[in-house]
């Protein structure tokens, strides 16, 4: 039974906080939602990427003769004749966006790198011709992965090699009565959204570029095209109303988008470029392999004295992508001494990118596994150990928490799960030949904020249009923005139409770091309230108004009708009122920039198309979402197969704008965490640094039969330090802690601690 | 532009009760025929390798993977896609149940899930949640809507049993 404390709050309006079905539900169940590759353009041609089959070296000769004989082939682009491009420096150090530009030189950096682009009149002709492109390589030695004997850890360029921390970690460790040290390893993982990457690009005769692509950040993609092709931002339009899953890989534009636009320019025709599923593995969407060495020091009564967290993660040849696992350890517990450090290993791979809860997902796996190990060492219940180290303020910044209902999450989760019936000894619970394991773990996810813009239009018929370029990647942006506008304006939910994912609309930053719901509800609420004020100013002052009241706040709007609060006149429908005052629309645009920057165009641009304005949501308080997750696994004693029998997650995500949709995201996150714990890993053929399981049958993700009933519980309360309307982050916290809870349950079942994900059967034999 | 010599052979497909004469080569899959030639984009391409289920459609009432079916194999057979499930704007019981249970997030696997679910119900595989999970496991959902998909299929199966839906 799910409980949602926000439903009982007085702050709820008629729609926000309610379990309303998705506004885009009908479009999605009828197949009418138009994803990127689903647009018919006259004269369109198809492009297919040819990839390198060696991981390092130079391109020698490319023989196109055979490919060019295929009927329908129009053009084959290679580095020899491709359009020179400018780099796009919008995101530093390769964070989420690779600096690599395809077809610019003869150097090969990774196996799978685009080295030619075939354009043909049909998809089948392009595919056939791509298979006929013959390439001579001058192969050079490559570093295949983090375990390659030639791999060398290096300091993160530009970062202090000593890492970050507080107190005296070394001294505290020497003095600690109890010590626990372990190394946790996680493999390369993939976001694997169900919609592969792909792009349609079309250039107008006036040099305008229009791009249909799945994007978590249309403004960011627009900036990338503008930089790559050295054209003004105003000349680029990116359209992405529906995104078939992102999970990080669609945060920025990648090579497919660039190559589609390049080919369209060359061909002077619209180009459709659909990456194959294997190309989605060999080109984009990677969480790098990571080693985390964790050392905990504690007193005999279980008070943590020190955490030392050393991370080493893969990055590419070109960029310094950091998958930092240490963020969770820095805030989770009241530990006075802490040091965290980061090293990188350059491998012949494309640049990694975010995968849902980058850093936190794998960081919480290691930390919460180590806490479980320490609990056994101290013979303490894992929840009791956590409570003994409960942080009453942010141990990193010493700021107060805005809200931290983690204790309530432990309590509610444990109660729902029946934790008190757990027998603490490993291998002490069984059902026939199945070993039963119960494990738990906690998690944190920071609340980040970036300003955004919104436009709200009240039409003559009383309907309301809400517009933003921000994305709905499945979280429910369409729905909660309609709820927000309906509440702010006093109109029915069904009367509000929301348009998203188009750079011709008001600008928004990235739908990532779980920020889009909070920042856009804030922007829409502010804008809709301004529109309401304009409407009521007409009610109180316009000659055509039927009302006698003279102040805007003498009115209420409810169910789409305006009425004087004192009941001195009949309520009037907004549509009727618009006619009376002779208005065909009221249109208001607002942004949520800091007041002193709100009117600066250059500052606004930085806010929406870079990460400059992304930061903590409060200057005075530490704002995080929190969770506690509980898992039961059954392990076949003979075969080592692990099945998850049930999961319970208790979440403090502040106020929930729509519990129905928030619960879906939590459960989805927990299921992705299950994949990380038990199933997902990239395998690499060391000889060629090539991904061998580059498909959805061999890169194993959870299927329906893997997933048990999942119970989620909200213990949050509104947090107005976290966001304008009181919500905290929802989208990623479900992943955080799930893998550790499963790993801890597997240990409880079997007595075997597997510190290398995924926990597959051979590791338990 | 060079025109393929074999591209001239037309294929007649009966999609959602309407006949489509498509100028396609024999190697074109049903999935590409639907999307690229009949311009019916409701059927999704998730892998093109028969691994994800996003392209599930019905051929003579049976669920098939459109990416592993050549268009020429199904000439003359009744093809039903997600666009053909609602009748006169009235949603199928499974479509309604998917909305009610929030059985999707991004929506990209949804067409295939729904086509599979309708077939799964008609196959009589919805007797238990375990059975639903098993017979819906050919359809991947990366957003992790599985528990809600199970609830929606269970609910729709009951509604169709009661004659509220319009399952075959």
């Amino acid at each position: 039974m799910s409980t949602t404390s926000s439903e009982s709050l007085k702050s709820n309006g008629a729609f926000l906080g309610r379990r309303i079905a998705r506004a885009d539900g009908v479009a999605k169940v009828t197949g009418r939602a138009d994803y990127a590759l689903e647009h018919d353009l006259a004269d369109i041609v198809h492009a297919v990427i040819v990839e390198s089959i060696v991981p390092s070296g130079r391109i020698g000769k490319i023989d196109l003769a055979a490919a060019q004989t295929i009927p329908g082939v129009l053009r084959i682009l290679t580095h020899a004749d491709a359009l020179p491009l400018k780099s796009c420096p919008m995101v530093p150090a390769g964070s989420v966006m690779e600096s690599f530009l395809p077809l610019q030189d003869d150097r090969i950096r990774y196996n799978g790198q685009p080295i030619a682009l075939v354009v043909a009149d049909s998809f089948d002709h392009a595919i056939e011709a791509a298979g006929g492109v013959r390439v001579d390589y001058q192969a050079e030695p490559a570093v295949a992965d983090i375990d390659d004997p030639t791999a060398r850890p290096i300091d993160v360029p530009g970062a202090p090699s000593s890492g970050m921390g507080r107190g005296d970690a070394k001294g505290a460790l020497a003095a600690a009565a109890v010590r626990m040290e372990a190394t946790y390893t996680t493999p390369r993982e993939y976001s694997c959204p169900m919609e592969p990457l792909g792009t349609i690009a079309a250039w107008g005769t006036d040099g305008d570029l229009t791009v249909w692509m799945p994007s978590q950040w249309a403004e960011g993609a627009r900036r990338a095209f503008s930089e790559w092709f050295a054209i003004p931002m105003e000349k680029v339009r990116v359209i992405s109303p529906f995104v078939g899953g992102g999970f990080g890989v669609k945060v920025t534009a990648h090579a497919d988008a660039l190559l589609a636009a390049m080919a369209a320019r060359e061909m002077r025709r619209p180009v459709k470029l659909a990456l194959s599923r294997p190309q989605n593995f060999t080109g984009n969407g990677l969480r790098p392999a990571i080693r985390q060495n964790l050392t905990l020091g504690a007193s005999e009564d279980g008070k943590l004295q020190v955490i030392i967290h050393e991370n080493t993660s893969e990055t590419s040849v070109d960029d310094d992508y950091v998958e930092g696992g240490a963020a969770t350890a820095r805030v989770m517990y009241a530990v006075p001494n802490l040091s965290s450090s980061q090293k990188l290993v350059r491998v012949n791979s494309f640049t990694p990118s975010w995968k849902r809860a980058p850093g936190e997902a794998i960081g919480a796996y290691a930390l919460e596994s180590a806490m479980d190990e320490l609990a056994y060492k101290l013979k303490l219940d894992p929840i009791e150990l956590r409570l003994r180290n409960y942080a009453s303020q942010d141990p990193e910044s010493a700021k107060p928490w805005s809200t931290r209902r983690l204790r309530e999450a432990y309590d509610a989760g444990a109660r729902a799960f029946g934790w008190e019936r757990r027998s603490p000894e490993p291998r002490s619970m069984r059902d026939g030949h199945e070993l039963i394991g119960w494990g738990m773990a906690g998690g944190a996810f920071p609340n980040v904020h970036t300003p955004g813009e919104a436009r709200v239009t009240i039409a003559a018929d009383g309907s309301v249009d809400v517009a933003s370029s921000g994305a709905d990647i499945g979280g429910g942006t369409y729905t909660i923005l309609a709820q927000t506008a309906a509440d702010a304006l006093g109109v029915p939910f069904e009367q509000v139409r929301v348009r998203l994912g188009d750079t011709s609309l008001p600008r928004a930053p990235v739908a990532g770091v779980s920020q889009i719901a909070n920042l856009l509800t804030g922007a829409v609420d502010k804008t809709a309230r301004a529109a309401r004020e304009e409407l009521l100013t007409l009610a109180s002052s316009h000659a055509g108004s039927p009302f006698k009241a003279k102040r805007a706040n003498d009115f209420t709007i409810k169910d789409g009708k305006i009425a004087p609060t004192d009941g001195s006149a009949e309520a009037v429908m907004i549509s009727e009122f618009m006619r009376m005052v002779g208005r065909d629309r009221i249109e208001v645009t607002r942004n949520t920039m800091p007041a002193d920057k709100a009117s600066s165009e250059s500052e606004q641009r930085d806010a929406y198309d870079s990460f400059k304005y992304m930061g903590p949501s409060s200057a005075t308080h530490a704002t995080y979402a929190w969770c506690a997750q509980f898992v039961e696994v059954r392990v076949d004693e003979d075969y080592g197969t692990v099945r998850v029998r049930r999961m319970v997650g208790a979440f403090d995500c502040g106020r929930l704008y729509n519990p129905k949709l928030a619960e879906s995201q939590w459960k989805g996150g927990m299921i992705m965490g299950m994949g990380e714990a038990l199933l997902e890993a990239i395998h690499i053929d060391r000889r060629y640094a090539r991904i061998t399981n580059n498909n959805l049958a061999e890169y194993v993700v959870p299927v329906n039969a893997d997933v048990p009933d999942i119970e989620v519980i909200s213990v949050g309360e509104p947090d107005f330090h976290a966001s304008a309307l009181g919500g905290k982050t929802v989208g990623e916290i479900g992943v955080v802690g799930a893998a550790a809870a499963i790993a801890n349950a597997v240990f409880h079942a079997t007595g075997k601690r597997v510190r290398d994900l995924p926990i597959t059967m051979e590791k338990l034999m | 532009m060079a025109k393929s010599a074999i591209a001239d052979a037309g294929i007649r497909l009966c999609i959602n009760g309407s006949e489509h004469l498509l100028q396609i080569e024999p190697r074109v899959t049903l999935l590409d025929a639907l999307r690229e030639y009949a311009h019916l984009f409701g059927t999704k391409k998730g892998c093109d390798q028969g691994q994800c289920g996003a392209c599930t459609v019905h051929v003579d009432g049976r669920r098939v993977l459109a990416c592993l079916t050549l268009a020429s194999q199904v000439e003359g057979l009744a093809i039903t896609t997600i666009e053909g499930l609602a009748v006169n704007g009235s949603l199928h019981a499974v479509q309604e149940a998917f909305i009610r249970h929030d059985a999707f997030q991004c929506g990209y696997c949804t067409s295939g899930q729904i086509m599979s679910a309708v077939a799964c119900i008609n196959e009589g595989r919805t007797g238990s949640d375990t059975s639903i999970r098993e017979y819906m496991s050919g359809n991947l959902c990366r957003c992790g809507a599985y528990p809600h998909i199970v609830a929606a299929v269970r609910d729709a199966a009951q509604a169709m049993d009661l004659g509220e839906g319009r399952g075959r």
Side-chain angles (χ1 to χ4, degrees):
Chain A
M1 184 74 179
S2 300
T3 56
T4 45
S5 62
S6 67
E7 281 176 318
S8 61
L9 288 170
K10 288 192 178 122
S11 59
N12 275 341
F15 302 105
L16 273 176
R18 312 243 172 254
R19 309 179 68 87
I20 292 173
R22 274 172 207 275
D24 51 341
V26 172
K28 284 177 174 173
V29 302
T30 55
R32 288 206 301 270
D34 53 335
Y35 298 84
L37 293 181
E38 302 174 352
H39 293 85
D40 283 325
L41 273 70
D43 219 21
I44 196 163
V45 291
H46 297 259
V48 167
I49 291 174
V50 180
E51 298 178 310
S52 169
I53 59 168
V54 303
S56 178
R58 302 268 169 189
I59 301 168
K61 185 170 164 289
I62 301 188
D63 178 0
L64 304 179
Q68 278 164 337
T69 64
I70 304 299
V73 170
L74 302 170
R75 182 76 194 267
I76 304 176
L77 294 167
T78 70
H79 69 277
D81 59 354
L83 183 74
L85 300 163
K86 302 229 167 14
S87 66
C88 176
M90 61 192 275
V91 187
S95 171
V96 310
M97 183 172 182
E98 62 272 27
S99 59
F100 167 69
L101 298 173
L103 309 190
Q104 299 297 294
D105 58 38
D106 66 350
R107 197 158 75 85
I108 293 174
R109 298 149 176 85
Y110 59 93
N111 198 322
Q113 177 180 319
I115 53 171
L117 188 72
V118 177
V119 185
D121 64 344
S122 77
F123 175 65
D124 291 284
H125 291 154
I127 285 265
E128 184 181 355
V133 173
R134 299 277 167 260
V135 183
D136 289 336
Y137 299 96
Q138 294 154 16
E140 292 169 13
V143 180
D145 60 18
I146 196 169
D147 295 321
D148 193 298
T150 64
R152 293 283 172 271
I154 57 168
D155 290 333
V156 180
S161 61
S162 55
M164 304 168 67
R166 56 181 182 257
D168 171 17
K170 272 189 188 155
L173 185 65
V178 182
R179 285 172 224 166
M180 208 296 297
E181 182 185 358
T183 299
Y184 302 91
T185 57
T186 49
R188 288 188 201 171
E189 298 168 2
Y190 271 73
S191 297
C192 289
M194 292 311 300
E195 177 199 28
L197 291 182
T199 303
I200 295 175
W203 293 82
T205 48
D206 50 2
D208 284 12
L209 171 64
T210 305
V211 181
W212 290 263
M213 60 183 283
S215 177
Q216 295 175 241
W217 188 19
E219 275 298 314
R222 182 193 204 189
R223 164 94 185 270
F225 288 108
S226 158
E227 302 266 3
W228 287 333
F229 294 98
I231 53 177
M233 286 280 279
E234 295 69 35
K235 289 277 189 189
V236 184
R237 181 178 175 194
V238 175
I239 302 174
S240 177
F242 291 99
V243 183
F247 315 116
V249 62
K250 293 169 183 170
V251 163
T252 54
H254 297 294
D256 64 296
L258 188 158
L259 288 171
M262 182 199 278
R265 186 144 136 170
E266 289 287 320
M267 302 303 299
R268 299 173 188 275
R269 293 172 74 171
V271 167
K272 178 187 280 198
L273 194 168
L275 287 190
S276 68
R277 179 55 69 177
Q279 286 176 331
N280 273 263
F281 281 90
T282 47
N284 310 94
L286 162 77
R287 168 175 290 157
I290 301 142
R291 283 178 209 298
Q292 300 180 70
N293 191 265
L294 260 172
T295 307
L296 308 183
S299 62
E300 285 185 7
D301 62 353
K303 288 288 287 177
L304 280 173
Q305 304 300 315
V306 57
I307 297 177
I308 299 174
H309 195 165
E310 298 162 322
N311 291 267
T312 306
S313 60
E314 295 174 332
T315 189
S316 66
V317 173
D318 294 322
D319 297 313
D320 308 326
Y321 177 89
V322 174
E323 176 93 12
T328 310
R330 291 207 288 266
V331 299
M332 204 70 197
Y333 300 109
V335 53
N337 305 289
L338 181 142
S339 109
S340 61
S341 60
Q342 174 77 49
K343 291 204 180 297
L344 294 177
V345 171
R346 290 201 192 286
V347 298
N348 287 91
S349 161
F350 58 89
T351 300
S353 62
W354 289 349
K355 175 175 183 261
R356 199 172 187 177
E360 279 78 10
I362 49 100
Y365 157 65
L367 176 70
E368 291 296 278
S369 295
M371 286 295 281
D372 200 65
E373 298 203 43
L374 183 63
Y376 280 103
K377 203 160 188 171
L378 293 165
K379 296 190 166 40
L380 279 177
D381 180 87
I383 299 177
E384 177 58 27
L385 175 64
R386 285 164 172 82
L387 291 174
R388 287 187 189 186
N389 292 285
Y390 200 80
S392 57
Q393 62 176 21
D394 178 7
E396 183 82 353
S397 66
K399 287 177 186 170
W401 304 117
S402 53
T403 49
R404 193 193 206 225
R405 295 176 62 79
L406 180 57
R407 198 186 294 276
E408 289 80 357
Y410 292 142
D411 284 352
R415 209 166 40 245
F417 189 81
W419 186 256
E420 80 284 355
R421 296 194 305 275
R422 178 177 183 260
S423 146
E425 282 302 306
R427 298 183 72 89
S428 62
M429 296 168 74
R430 68 161 60 225
D431 178 5
H433 70 289
E434 285 183 335
L435 299 165
I436 298 172
W438 287 9
M440 62 81 58
F445 199 85
N447 223 84
V448 168
H449 179 78
T450 309
E453 269 182 324
R455 183 168 65 230
V456 169
T457 309
I458 304 170
D461 64 358
S463 67
V464 175
D465 180 273
V466 174
S468 163
S469 75
D472 187 336
I473 59 173
T477 318
Y478 280 107
T479 314
I480 60 173
L481 295 187
Q483 292 173 268
T484 303
D487 272 3
L489 287 164
V491 302
F493 173 76
E494 299 73 22
Q495 217 162 302
V496 183
R497 182 175 77 129
V498 178
R499 290 181 294 145
L500 296 172
D502 183 335
T503 58
S504 68
L505 304 176
R507 296 165 295 187
V510 63
V513 248
S514 302
Q515 67 169 353
I516 202 78
N518 288 317
L519 80 91
L520 282 185
T521 51
V524 168
D525 181 66
K526 179 178 180 178
T527 310
R529 285 177 191 283
R532 180 183 190 273
E533 192 164 320
E534 194 170 326
L535 188 67
L536 294 185
T537 300
L538 291 171
S540 61
S541 61
H542 194 279
S545 169
F547 305 115
K548 295 196 172 57
K550 290 299 170 211
R551 291 181 317 178
N553 58 6
D554 290 337
F555 294 92
T556 55
I557 309 179
K558 202 176 166 221
D559 300 330
K561 292 177 197 150
I562 308 171
T565 313
D566 63 7
S568 61
E570 288 285 299
V572 175
M573 298 285 291
I574 291 176
S575 53
E576 177 67 7
F577 177 79
M578 295 284 278
R579 194 187 56 76
M580 289 170 164
V581 298
R583 292 288 293 262
D584 66 346
R585 60 167 50 194
I586 290 173
E587 183 175 296
V588 175
T589 303
R590 291 285 186 276
N591 65 58
T592 54
M593 290 287 286
D596 58 326
K597 304 277 181 22
S599 58
S600 161
E601 176 55 28
S602 66
E603 294 289 340
Q604 281 206 59
R605 176 173 284 199
D606 282 351
Y608 309 133
D609 70 22
S610 78
F611 289 168
K612 183 176 168 187
Y613 273 82
M614 185 187 286
S617 52
S618 166
T620 55
H621 290 72
T623 56
Y624 287 81
W626 306 97
C627 77
Q629 301 202 23
F630 297 79
V631 171
E632 176 180 326
V633 298
R634 301 288 182 111
V635 183
D636 185 292
E637 194 173 12
D638 299 322
Y639 296 108
T641 46
V642 180
R643 303 288 295 169
V644 176
R645 178 57 71 90
R646 58 199 179 101
M647 301 178 91
V648 173
F651 295 89
D652 169 14
C653 294
R655 178 191 188 194
L656 303 182
Y657 305 130
N658 185 329
K660 189 184 186 82
L661 309 191
E663 289 167 8
S664 289
Q665 286 212 77
W666 288 336
K667 290 178 187 174
M670 292 165 79
I671 292 167
M672 196 172 273
M674 174 196 292
E676 289 168 3
L678 298 176
L679 301 171
E680 296 179 35
I682 278 298
H683 301 295
I684 294 156
D685 182 337
R686 194 68 65 70
R687 293 170 300 172
Y688 308 107
R690 182 165 185 85
I691 296 163
T692 57
N693 55 338
N694 59 356
N695 59 79
L696 291 173
E698 295 170 291
Y699 182 81
V700 189
V701 300
V703 302
N704 207 321
D706 293 321
V707 177
D709 286 328
I710 299 176
E711 180 178 353
V712 291
I713 302 162
S714 172
V715 297
E717 56 186 27
D719 182 340
F720 297 104
H721 291 289
S723 66
L725 299 191
K728 298 199 284 188
T729 63
V730 169
E732 286 159 282
I733 184 75
V735 186
V736 185
I742 292 171
N744 295 341
V746 170
F747 175 76
H748 182 239
T750 64
K752 186 159 184 182
R753 182 69 66 174
V754 178
R755 301 187 185 89
D756 176 50
L757 296 187
I759 303 172
T760 42
M761 59 197 294
E762 77 279 8
K763 296 177 188 171
L764 289 171
M765 299 281 261
Chain B
M1 173 177 31
K3 192 162 170 93
S4 166
I6 49 176
D8 294 323
I11 290 178
R12 257 173 228 286
L13 294 184
C14 179
I15 308 166
N16 303 324
S18 304
E19 189 152 291
H20 296 248
L21 177 60
L22 305 177
Q23 296 298 325
I24 55 178
E25 297 178 40
R27 63 176 152 182
V28 173
T29 63
L30 175 58
L31 178 57
D32 285 336
L34 290 169
R35 287 173 64 89
E36 304 299 333
Y37 295 90
H39 309 296
L40 291 166
F41 292 113
T43 305
K44 304 304 180 192
K45 184 182 278 193
C47 70
D48 218 12
Q49 297 177 306
Q51 298 170 342
C52 78
C55 66
T56 305
V57 297
H58 295 176
V59 174
D60 279 353
R62 280 180 52 241
R63 46 175 159 170
V64 305
L65 298 173
C67 75
L68 292 189
T69 306
L70 293 173
S72 55
Q73 286 176 279
V74 294
E75 206 171 3
L77 305 182
I79 300 156
T80 309
T81 70
I82 191 74
E83 289 95 339
L85 213 51
V87 175
N88 298 327
S90 162
L91 295 182
H92 188 282
V94 173
Q95 292 172 311
E96 284 177 351
F98 266 61
I99 294 175
R100 196 162 55 245
H101 289 277
D102 205 35
F104 54 91
Q105 293 178 40
C106 81
Y108 199 77
C109 75
T110 309
S111 300
Q113 298 279 0
I114 289 174
M115 297 310 287
S116 257
V118 171
C120 182
I121 293 166
N122 291 334
E123 291 160 12
R125 301 293 189 184
T126 55
S128 68
D129 284 1
T130 306
S131 177
I132 294 171
R133 286 190 178 108
E134 190 64 33
Y135 286 91
M136 288 299 294
S137 277
N139 292 80
L140 301 182
C141 168
R142 191 57 163 160
C143 297
Y146 296 128
H148 294 184
I149 290 169
V150 173
V153 175
R154 185 203 305 134
D155 206 10
Q158 285 167 4
M160 286 163 67
D161 264 359
L162 296 170
E164 292 168 13
R166 290 182 325 280
R168 262 180 290 269

